[in-house]
Amino acid sequence: MSAAPPVAGLQDLGADSGIPALDCRDVTVRFRSERRAVTALEGVSLRLAAGDFVTLLGPSGCGKSTLLRVFADIVRPTTGQVSVLGHPPAVARQRREIGFVFQDACLLPWRNVIDNARLPLEVGRRRGAPTAASPEELLALVGLAGWEKALPHELSGGMRQRVSIARALLGGPKILLMDEPFGALDEITRDRMNEELLRIWRETGTTILFVTHSIYEAAFLGQKVLVLAARPGRVRELVTVDLAEPRRLAMRETPEFAALAAHLRAALETC
Amino acid sequence: MTMQATLLHRDSAPAADDLDRAWAVAQRRRVWRRRLMPLFGGATLLALWWALVAVFHVRPFIAPSPEVVAITIYQKFGMLMANLQPTAIEAVSGFLIGNAVAIAIATLFVHRKTLEEAFLPIVVLINSIPVVAKAPILVLLMGNGLAPKVAIAAIVCFFPTLVNMVRGLEAVSPQAMELMHVLSASKREVFFKLRLPTSLPFLFSALKIATSTATVGAIVGEWIGSQEGIGALIIQATYNFDSALLYATVLVGSCFSVAFFMVIRLAERLVIRWQPGASP
């Protein structure tokens, strides 16, 4: 069995060296909708060390996206402590230490590819600040060199999502939060994007927290998979993935991968 | 072997060319069809008009025949243009003022929710009153002269633009707002980088409607107590049973309205280039 045994808490997630990239303790988020109060997250604790790639796996309604939004300072937790690189999320956001990739690419349709990738330089307090990598270099990193002048509607879904990844990487964020970024893509494109994302992760060393509801994607991408249960969203299990590095798509045919997927499926079914 | 391959290639290349050429010809035919068919339709209706007037011996003061209208336009072209000028000035200035104020107030509404909540429902209510009903009320309020007509044209195109512009400025996707938040964008940046471009298609559809409402506003404004303008001429021609002049005047007014519309549509096409298959 390549999966680690279930753990009670999550305090041991990530190596204990220095300040964790992402840290939350006993986070609870409640919404009040028209009909009833909804508990999106209940008592979630999580710690990611710098450079980790962790996938969040869970059924819809388990609060995966809400947890990302808590770290990105979009949603304020009802109770609990959250810190990003040792600071409150608002500070990390203003320092541009977080890049966020949305489910749909969320490009501005009137801007061409390069201007979309450049958007972070034009807004916010850090506008005009020098960046480690230029928008052009980042577009090359995501495999879109030569497409700078194209408009979003001229691109495929996969290409649009690549632009949004380049945009999120601009300014060299230490953390990348990804909310089902490949959920709307066809399987072939999705496979390719998964391999590309691993390459980008290796090349940039960014900490990545990746939300998905695909068991295979979660197992293939993550160094660790955090399984969440729904209604209310809470941590079910943390699974360490012991696949060889670098990962190859063909690994998904191995018995180890099959056992891992079966384990994750079982964890989801007991949710 | 090589020979054969070359031969095959030579055979297939012209075939593809033929296909391209045939497609281009068919495409050109489609384009011309789309241009010519409305002309054909218009000519048919004109002929029908002419035939009805001739066959039923309609008396000239009830309805003129098309050739009489054409002759009237030709003979009184100077007078018609002299009357179009004040109407055009009123309509265009009213259009500019009314829309500018509508855009400004829409911007205010989006940033001050309380004002929007208090006043937008009332604006929507007033917007639902037809222009021809609104205009006479405004004529009574504003009296005579050029300025009141400009004001009427401005007010009638103000409401649709305000309603559409507010809708456009708020048509921003929640994710785009979250993106701007993650980037710590200021309210001003959100407005200029996100809300304003998002609203442009809504704004232009309102502006296209406003070209005709502004023209109607100016004409109706001239109905009461005006000495010049398309509206005044319509009233005079009607009271004098000069149906040929009435038809000629209406035609000149419509041509102005259509030209005004085409100018805005051209501007729309130049500004909004990012929508695939944008509305023609």
Side-chain angles (χ1 to χ4, degrees):
Chain A
M1 179 103 256
S2 59
V7 286
L10 287 154
Q11 277 69 20
D12 48 343
L13 177 54
D16 246 325
S17 58
I19 303 158
L22 294 173
D23 193 10
C24 71
R25 275 154 209 280
D26 283 329
V27 163
T28 296
V29 176
R30 286 197 189 89
F31 295 113
R32 181 77 183 88
S33 73
E34 251 173 60
R35 283 157 190 270
R36 63 208 163 86
V38 180
T39 305
L41 288 172
E42 190 164 86
V44 172
S45 299
L46 168 67
R47 176 178 285 182
L48 262 73
D52 273 351
F53 194 143
V54 174
T55 48
L56 275 178
L57 176 65
S60 49
C62 73
K64 312 182 287 278
S65 297
T66 305
L67 186 55
L68 280 198
R69 280 165 169 73
V70 166
F71 283 126
D73 189 37
I74 296 170
V75 172
R76 198 162 296 165
T78 314
T79 60
Q81 280 93 49
V82 182
S83 78
V84 176
L85 298 162
H87 305 289
V91 174
R93 167 171 67 80
Q94 275 158 9
R95 290 184 181 176
R96 288 283 171 82
E97 288 172 330
I98 296 170
F100 202 105
V101 179
F102 293 91
Q103 183 167 8
D104 78 60
C106 203
L107 302 181
L108 304 183
W110 50 87
R111 285 173 166 248
N112 63 25
V113 165
I114 189 78
D115 286 343
N116 262 295
R118 199 181 273 145
L119 180 71
L121 296 180
E122 295 177 17
V123 299
R125 264 186 237 170
R126 307 209 46 172
R127 81 177 157 256
T131 53
S134 68
E136 288 82 359
E137 287 168 335
L138 288 170
L139 284 179
L141 177 74
V142 298
L144 278 181
W147 288 90
E148 288 81 359
K149 297 289 173 210
L151 283 171
H153 73 84
E154 297 167 323
L155 305 179
S156 67
M159 291 164 93
R160 281 201 285 271
Q161 201 53 275
R162 285 166 195 260
V163 179
S164 93
I165 291 171
R167 177 180 64 196
L169 288 171
L170 189 68
K174 299 189 179 72
I175 296 158
L176 207 51
L177 302 173
M178 307 183 86
D179 187 11
E180 290 183 44
F182 309 139
L185 304 181
D186 64 86
E187 205 177 333
I188 297 163
T189 312
R190 187 178 197 161
D191 283 350
R192 196 179 310 133
M193 295 296 288
N194 281 342
E195 273 196 314
E196 295 261 315
L197 182 62
L198 284 175
R199 176 181 62 78
I200 290 167
W201 173 63
R202 283 192 299 270
E203 285 175 23
T204 59
T206 313
T207 309
I208 298 180
L209 186 57
F210 186 104
V211 162
T212 180
H213 52 217
S214 155
I215 291 169
Y216 301 100
E217 194 170 58
F220 179 68
L221 290 174
Q223 308 291 297
K224 287 163 186 129
V225 181
L226 186 70
V227 182
L228 293 183
R231 281 177 269 275
R234 61 207 182 281
V235 174
R236 170 102 249 150
E237 190 180 341
L238 175 74
V239 179
T240 304
V241 180
D242 294 327
L243 295 174
E245 300 288 343
R247 308 240 172 114
R248 297 271 175 256
L249 286 172
M251 283 177 191
R252 296 181 305 181
E253 320 304 332
T254 60
E256 290 88 347
F257 192 90
L260 177 62
H263 181 91
L264 291 174
R265 189 179 298 283
L268 279 176
E269 272 162 10
T270 55
C271 280
Chain B
M1 195 63 205
T2 343
M3 274 284 284
Q4 208 172 7
T6 325
L7 275 176
L8 270 174
H9 178 73
R10 268 188 197 155
D11 274 354
S12 60
D17 269 5
D18 282 349
L19 213 62
D20 279 357
R21 217 170 299 129
W23 185 84
V25 167
Q27 182 65 18
R28 220 171 304 138
R29 194 173 298 150
R30 270 194 293 274
V31 168
W32 276 107
R33 225 182 135 78
R34 212 170 50 217
R35 284 178 193 164
L36 291 176
M37 287 322 267
L39 289 180
F40 176 73
T44 312
L45 288 176
L46 266 180
L48 194 67
W49 172 13
W50 181 83
L52 282 173
V53 170
V55 169
F56 293 101
H57 302 290
V58 178
R59 277 169 297 175
F61 65 87
I62 298 203
S65 66
E67 82 264 23
V68 176
V69 175
I71 291 164
T72 308
I73 290 178
Y74 179 74
Q75 284 174 342
K76 299 188 173 165
F77 191 72
M79 189 269 278
L80 285 166
M81 286 302 120
N83 279 287
L84 175 61
Q85 196 190 343
T87 308
I89 291 170
E90 289 153 17
V92 173
S93 346
F95 175 88
L96 293 175
I97 296 167
N99 287 313
V101 174
I103 292 167
I105 292 184
T107 308
L108 183 71
F109 274 6
V110 170
H111 289 97
R112 293 277 176 280
K113 278 280 162 221
T114 322
L115 287 177
E116 183 186 334
E117 283 162 8
F119 292 109
L120 193 63
I122 294 160
V123 170
V124 171
L125 194 75
I126 297 175
N127 190 30
S128 66
I129 305 172
V131 180
V132 281
K134 256 184 291 195
I137 296 173
L138 292 168
V139 174
L140 289 180
L141 284 174
M142 307 248 175
N144 251 316
L146 186 80
K149 275 138 210 154
V150 172
I152 292 163
I155 290 172
V156 292
C157 61
F158 166 79
F159 291 101
T161 303
L162 178 56
V163 172
N164 255 329
M165 191 66 186
V166 168
R167 206 177 292 154
L169 289 172
E170 289 176 348
V172 172
S173 79
Q175 282 201 350
M177 286 304 283
E178 288 184 352
L179 170 70
M180 289 311 226
H181 177 77
V182 168
L183 296 175
S184 309
S186 66
K187 272 195 153 186
R188 171 192 290 265
E189 285 162 347
V190 170
F191 183 79
F192 284 105
K193 304 271 179 199
L194 183 61
R195 286 192 190 278
L196 200 58
T198 306
S199 74
L200 284 179
F202 292 80
L203 175 62
F204 271 104
S205 63
L207 291 184
K208 284 190 285 189
I209 299 167
T211 56
S212 68
T213 50
T215 312
V216 171
I219 289 173
V220 175
E222 290 163 347
W223 275 0
I224 300 171
S226 231
Q227 297 307 311
E228 54 168 14
I230 295 293
L233 209 53
I234 287 175
I235 296 296
Q236 281 171 29
T238 311
Y239 281 113
N240 294 336
F241 291 103
D242 189 349
S243 71
L245 180 61
L246 175 62
Y247 277 53
T249 311
V250 170
L251 205 61
V252 167
S254 318
C255 286
F256 167 75
S257 189
V258 169
F260 197 1
F261 178 88
M262 297 303 257
V263 168
I264 301 301
R265 199 176 82 158
L266 181 70
E268 179 185 34
R269 284 196 180 174
L270 292 176
V271 172
I272 301 171
R273 295 170 162 278
W274 60 84
Q275 285 183 324
S279 61

